[in-house]
Amino acid sequence: MDFTMAAVAQVGIVILILAAAYVPLGDYMARVFRSSRDLAPERLIYRLARIDSARQQTWVGYAVAVLAFSFISVVFLYVLQRVQGILPFGDGRPGVSSAMAFNTAISFVANTNWQSYSPEVVMGNLTQMIGLAVQNFLSAAVGLAVAIALIRGIVATGGGKLGNFWVDLVRGTLRILLPLAGLMAVVLLTQGAVQSLRSGFDFVGLDGSNGHSVIGPFASQEAIKMLGTNGGGTLAANSAHPFSNPTPLSNVAEVIALLIIPVCLTRTYSTLVGDRRQGVTILGVMSVIWASMLALVWFFESKTNGVAAQAAGAMMEGKEQRFGVAGSALFAVSTTGTSTGAVDSAHDSFSAAGGGALIWNMLLGEVAPGGVGSGLYGMLILAVIAVFVGGLLVGRGPEFLGKKIGQGEITMAALYVLVMPALVLVGTSITVILESTSTFQGNAGDPGTPGSVHGFSEVLYAYASAANNNGSAFGGLTVTSDWFQTSLGLAMLLGRFLPMIFVLALAGRLAAQRRPTAPESPSGGAVAIRTRDRVATLPTHGLLFGGLLTGTVLLVAGLTFFPAMALGPIAEALA
C-alpha cells in the first residue's frame, strides 16, 4: 500500500468507526441523562455525600454547584502537588513549586491540561493517579453536565429547572467515561502501551553506558486523557512517546477516542429535543470544518519547502516516522479542534501555514467538534447567534426550537462569544509588550525578522490554547516564569468557567419560557419570524441553516482574529 492509500485508509477507519458508534452511543448517553433510576453505586455516593438526587436546580444553583466543585478540586490538586515529597509513591520527587502547582491545578480542573513541566521528572505516580487522572474524568464530566443542562433548558416547558448537577456529574463519570476509558485502555495495552506502578528501570545501552527509563500507569491515563478531551500526558513527549502511543493502529484509536464523545453528543442532543435533523445539521457543520482543516494542514505539510523537506519528501522535521505526515496531520487537527491538546508531533515544527492552521482551528472556538460537552454547547450558542442574525435579516424577533431569543438570551450568547477573544488578545498583547518575556521566546528576534514573527505566533498559540482550554503549545516558548504561570492560569480559569456561567444563564432563561402552542410555534424546530398575518419560518436544520451556522462560526472568528493572525502565522507563511 502506497503512502496516499495508507493515509486515506487512516481517515476512512476513523470515519467508519465514528459512524458505527454514532447512533448507539448517542442514544445511550441520552438514556443516561433522561433516566429516573439511580444505580446502586450512585445511590451509595449520594448517601455518603448527602445529595438529594431528586432535587432539581435552577441555573443559579447549578452554576454554584459547578463552581464550588471545581474550586474544591483546584484546592485539593494544588495541595496534593505541594506535599508530594512526603507522600508514598512519590518516587523521590519533591513538592511542586507554588506557581507551577497553581497553574497545573487550574489546568487539569479546567480540562485544559496545559503542562509547563516534564511530567516524568516533576510528578510522581501517586500524584498522577489520584490527582491528575481523577481530574481527567471529573473535568470532562463537568463539561458534559453543562451541555446536558443547556439541552434541558431548550426542551423545558417552563419552571426554570435544569436538573441536578451532582447527579449529572456522577452519571457522566460512572456510566459513560469509566466504561469507555476501560475499553480504550485495553486497546492500548494490546498495542504495547505501558501500564505499571513502578517508577522506572535501569538498563545498559548498546555502547555500554548506563541509562534509566521512566515507566508508570501510562495506558490507563492515556485512555481518559483522550476520551475526556484532556490532553495532559504522563510523558513530556505526550502521545508521540511509544510507551503511550506505540503503533500507527494505536494512533488511529486515540484519534477515534478524542472524537467519539463530542461527535456522538450531537445524536444525544437530537434525541433529547425530539428531532433527529437538529443533531445531523450540527454534526454536518462540525464535519465540514474538521474536514476542511484536515485538508489544509495535510496539504501544507506535504509540501517540500527547503532542502531537508525535499530530501525527506515532506515536512518531516518534528514528526514521528511511525505516523508520518498523514497520521500527524489527522492527530493535530483533531486535537486542536476538540480542546484535547495532546500531540503526536511537534506543532512548533509544522510549516508556517500548517502551524497557523492549527492556531486558527482553536480560534474558531473549539467547536469542530469541540471538547466533551463544551463543543456541543459552544456550537449551540453559535446557533442561537445564527438564529438572531436570521431574525435581523427580516426585522422580526426570532425563536429557536419554540423558545424566543430576546435581549436577555442574545446578551448571554454574546458574552459567551466575547470571553475567549478578550483573553487571547489581551494576554498576547501584554506578553509581547513586556520586555522580560522576549527572552522566553525560543524564536524571538529583531522586529520584522522571521524570528520575531514566529515568536509572536508562539505567544498567540499559548494564549489561544489556554483560553480555549486546549493545552497544546508551540514548544519554542518557555512558560516556566511566574508571569506565564499566572497569566496562562487565569486565562484557563476564566476561559473555562465564565463561558459556563453564561451557558447556564441562557439555559435558565430558556427553561423559564413556556413553549407556545401551535400554530404559533413551528414544528420540527425552526426560527419563527412573526409577520402580521402569519408565521414565517427558517428551519434550524438542513443545508440552509447549516450554511448560515458555518458562516457565523467563520465570521465571528475571522472578524476577531484576522489582524492577529496577519501579524504572526500569515506573515510568516508569506515571508
Side-chain angles (χ1 to χ4, degrees), residues 505-524:
L506 174 62
R509 293 187 66 90
L510 294 175
Q513 295 184 31
R514 291 190 177 276
R515 289 179 180 271
T517 57
E520 293 182 353
S521 177
S523 62

Side-chain angles (χ1 to χ4, degrees), residues 546-568:
L548 180 61
L549 180 54
T550 303
T552 301
V553 174
L554 298 176
L555 187 63
V556 169
L559 291 176
T560 306
F561 293 110
F562 182 78
M565 291 290 291
L567 291 173

Side-chain angles (χ1 to χ4, degrees), residues 76 127-140 173 221 224:
F76 171 79
T127 304
Q128 293 276 15
M129 289 186 293
I130 72 171
L132 306 185
V134 168
Q135 284 307 314
N136 282 350
F137 281 97
L138 298 180
S139 63
T173 303
Q221 289 185 236
I224 187 57

Side-chain angles (χ1 to χ4, degrees), residues 398-424:
E399 295 182 7
F400 183 68
L401 292 176
K403 298 296 181 73
K404 296 180 180 179
I405 305 301
Q407 179 181 352
E409 288 76 18
I410 199 62
T411 297
M412 293 301 105
L415 289 173
Y416 173 95
V417 170
L418 290 172
V419 169
M420 183 268 288
L423 293 172
V424 173

Side-chain angles (χ1 to χ4, degrees), residues 448-475:
T449 64
S452 68
V453 173
H454 190 71
F456 177 84
S457 298
E458 290 174 346
V459 176
L460 178 63
Y461 193 115
Y463 285 93
S465 178
N468 281 288
N469 302 123
N470 185 276
S472 61
F474 275 177

Side-chain angles (χ1 to χ4, degrees), residues 493-560:
L493 184 69
L494 298 176
R496 174 70 164 180
F497 295 109
L498 275 182
M500 281 187 171
I501 292 173
F502 296 135
V503 168
L504 292 172
L506 174 62
R509 293 187 66 90
L510 294 175
Q513 295 184 31
R514 291 190 177 276
R515 289 179 180 271
T517 57
E520 293 182 353
S521 177
S523 62
V527 183
I529 312 298
R530 294 181 183 278
T531 62
R532 289 185 178 180
D533 56 354
R534 65 189 180 88
V535 176
T537 62
L538 171 65
T540 53
H541 57 79
L543 291 176
L544 179 60
F545 186 74
L548 180 61
L549 180 54
T550 303
T552 301
V553 174
L554 298 176
L555 187 63
V556 169
L559 291 176
T560 306

